[in-house]
Every structure is written in structure tokens, then in C-alpha cells.
Amino acid sequence: MLTPAFTRADYEAAADEIRRRTPRAPKIGIILGSGLGPLADSVENAVAISYRDIPNWPQAPHGGHVQGHKGQLVIGSFEGQDVVMMQGRLHFYEGYNMHQVTFPVRLMRVLGVDTLVVTNAAGGLNENFKAGDLMLITDHINLLGQMGNNGLIGPNDDSFGDRFPIFTQAYDKKLRNKAIEIAQREGITLRQGVYIALSGPAFETPAEIRMFRMWGADAVGMSTVPEVVVARHAGMRVLGVSSITNEAIDNQDSTKDVSHQEVLDVGAKIVPNLVKIIRGVIREFPE
Ligand code: HPA
């Protein structure tokens, strides 16, 4: 069993500190992935709160820090709506347990957030995808969770959701349709597909890449799904967009290679299009 789990009071204490610093009551939470942090610069009248200053926020197991992740909540106005953005997320591969990885999502829920927008950098498995594409997440394969690393393992907190939450429609259809509509209007290519979540930090082998393709996955990454699981458990609507920062390598004799720097560089170039889509969805938010 995963211990220690946080109690409702732990999330409440963190929420109290945030409420002390801003009168805003965001209903929309946005998690920014590798290289996508600059999206937070678009938030108006922003209050930034370092993760270090939030009670019970999980401390890095080794004081570490992943390049490209800043480590603060940014709360402010975005397209006329109050939002809370996470500039930098917690990853399982850093050594956090799944309750810690998903702490911010429950904190957002306690703050009143009912819609979660998740973004990430991902490798493209689908052979039609190119580095620099955006992919709307239609569904996921929770390899991490199915292998026993699921943030809902342990005693169920009924105040958030049911013991056995349903995942048939993990990614909200109205939000997906709105994202597609915005992308079409803006002339942005928006791919659609299934995201498979792995632990990392090792990138995949070519044999794994070929296997994930056969399983029906279109993009591969090391985040997002843990947060989506806890968000859906708590009844939040979810929109997910992946930046395809590299094409996954499916041949052990390939001369190409993947690098974290490439992920950050390509991620940064995709930001303007991602901003347009997220802005549009929030501006024309479907009820
Ligand atoms: N694999 C896993 N995670 C990733 C990748 C990848 O190729 N690119 C960006 N995040």
C-alpha cells in the first residue's frame, strides 16, 4: 500500500495558504509540461506562489529539479477566467510516490477547480506525426497505473470520489470538440490520439516503441496520466494536449537519437500554437 497518503486536512491547509495570497477562486487548472512553462507568461495580474511556500507540498526527494520546470503556481486571469497554472509538475521518475505526484490536482480540487487542462511533451509513435505537431489526447493507456503505480491505490478518500472510478470518457468530449474547432479556425494542425504513460526516466527502446504502436498508442510520455486519474476520480473535466517534440525511434540501427534538450527546444517552438488553442477553449468554454 502507498503510504503516507495525504488527508483532506493536508490539502485544506495548502489551499488556505493560497487563499491567503489571492482572492481569486479559479475553476480552471492548467498543468504545463516540459518546455511549455512560458504559457504562464500570458496570465494577467498573476500571483506566483513557489511550491516551497505551500504547506504539505511534496518536497523533491533529493532536492533535485528537472531542467525546464520552474516550480510555482501562477494564479491570475486568462481570457477573462480565473485560472491556476502549475509551472512545473512532479514526476514519478524524480522519486515522488503517486500520492505526491498527484497532490497538486487534489489541492486544485479543494480550491474549487472543476476543469483540468494537462499539457506535456511526448514522443510521436504514430508514423504520420512530425516533431512540432500538437496532439489532442483522446484517451490514454495507463501503463504506470496498470503496473501498480496508481495514485488511487490505498484507502479511498470518499470526499473526493468513488473507490472504483469509471474511465470510459477520461477526456471530455465537449472540450475536445472545442479544441478541434479552435485549431481549425486558427489553421493549426491538431492531431488526435492515445497517450501512453511510462515511468521514465529512461527513454524507450525501439522494441518497446514497436510494441506500444501495436497496442494502439500514438504518443509516449512520462507524465500526465497520474494527474488525469486523480482529476477524474474527483469528477473534474479534463482536456489534454501533447506537444510532439520528437519522433520515437523504432529501429535499433537508427542513426537518429532523442535528447531532453531537443524535447525542450521543440516544446518551446510549439508554445504559440498551444497557447492559441488553450486560449480559445477557455474563451469559448463549453458548458
Ligand atoms: N519518450 C518519452 N517521453 C518523452 C519523449 C519520448 O520520446 N519525448 C518527450 N517526452
Side-chain angles (χ1 to χ4, degrees):
M1 193 169 79
L2 264 185
T3 51
F6 297 97
T7 62
R8 180 104 196 174
D10 295 329
Y11 302 110
E12 297 283 358
D16 284 347
E17 175 61 21
I18 293 164
R19 289 192 201 103
R20 208 177 60 74
R21 296 194 186 210
T22 171
R24 291 184 196 272
K27 286 199 177 311
I28 299 174
I30 305 176
I31 302 182
L32 304 171
S34 296
L36 305 175
L39 211 155
D41 298 341
S42 315
V43 177
E44 290 159 25
N45 300 315
V47 170
I49 307 174
S50 166
Y51 296 159
R52 278 190 301 272
D53 297 339
I54 300 172
N56 302 317
W57 191 280
Q59 297 303 309
H62 42 66
H65 181 78
V66 185
Q67 192 194 351
H69 292 267
K70 208 161 183 174
Q72 58 184 19
L73 286 185
V74 176
I75 300 166
S77 175
F78 190 68
E79 291 298 327
Q81 303 244 31
D82 285 353
V83 298
V84 47
M85 283 193 194
M86 267 184 86
Q87 211 172 9
R89 56 152 56 92
L90 311 180
H91 299 90
F92 187 62
Y93 62 71
E94 294 175 84
Y96 295 104
N97 70 40
M98 280 300 181
H99 294 153
Q100 294 174 317
V101 168
T102 57
F103 175 90
V105 176
R106 285 198 166 169
L107 167 57
M108 286 185 189
R109 184 74 198 102
V110 168
L111 279 173
V113 170
D114 58 20
T115 300
L116 184 67
V117 178
V118 285
T119 64
N120 59 49
L125 296 170
N126 186 313
E127 287 166 288
N128 296 322
F129 293 2
K130 302 262 172 310
D133 279 348
L134 291 170
M135 183 191 88
L136 181 66
I137 305 178
T138 54
D139 202 353
H140 68 226
I141 297 175
N142 186 5
L143 190 61
L144 269 168
Q146 304 303 359
M147 300 295 280
N149 295 307
N150 186 309
L152 301 177
I153 291 176
N156 187 55
D157 186 336
D158 297 331
S159 74
F160 285 104
D162 294 341
R163 171 77 287 188
F164 299 107
I166 307 292
F167 273 81
T168 316
Q169 278 143 30
Y171 299 86
D172 187 90
K173 188 152 197 244
K174 285 187 181 166
L175 291 173
R176 279 190 279 132
N177 283 341
K178 182 54 81 176
I180 293 165
E181 182 192 325
I182 302 288
Q184 278 171 351
R185 203 189 306 151
E186 297 277 354
I188 297 167
T189 302
L190 181 61
R191 312 286 190 177
Q192 296 186 51
V194 172
Y195 176 94
I196 182 166
L198 316 177
S199 76
F203 281 110
E204 309 71 39
T205 64
E208 288 166 341
I209 293 300
R210 296 193 301 270
M211 177 178 75
F212 298 148
R213 249 185 218 148
M214 283 192 282
W215 285 359
D218 298 288
V220 62
M222 306 173 188
S223 68
T224 304
V225 170
E227 293 126 323
V228 171
V229 165
V230 166
R232 292 296 301 143
H233 175 251
M236 293 158 87
R237 296 168 77 185
V238 175
L239 175 70
V241 186
S242 292
S243 295
I244 305 298
T245 53
N246 56 284
E247 290 153 40
I249 295 164
D250 60 6
N251 175 348
Q252 62 282 0
D253 297 324
S254 169
T255 52
K256 286 188 270 175
D257 229 329
V258 195
S259 76
H260 186 55
Q261 196 54 48
E262 178 191 8
V263 168
L264 296 183
D265 292 347
V266 177
K269 289 203 196 102
I270 311 177
V271 167
N273 281 345
L274 185 61
V275 172
K276 278 188 201 155
I277 291 176
I278 293 177
R279 263 191 196 287
V281 171
I282 292 176
R283 189 175 54 236
E284 301 172 27
F285 197 79
E287 289 314 320

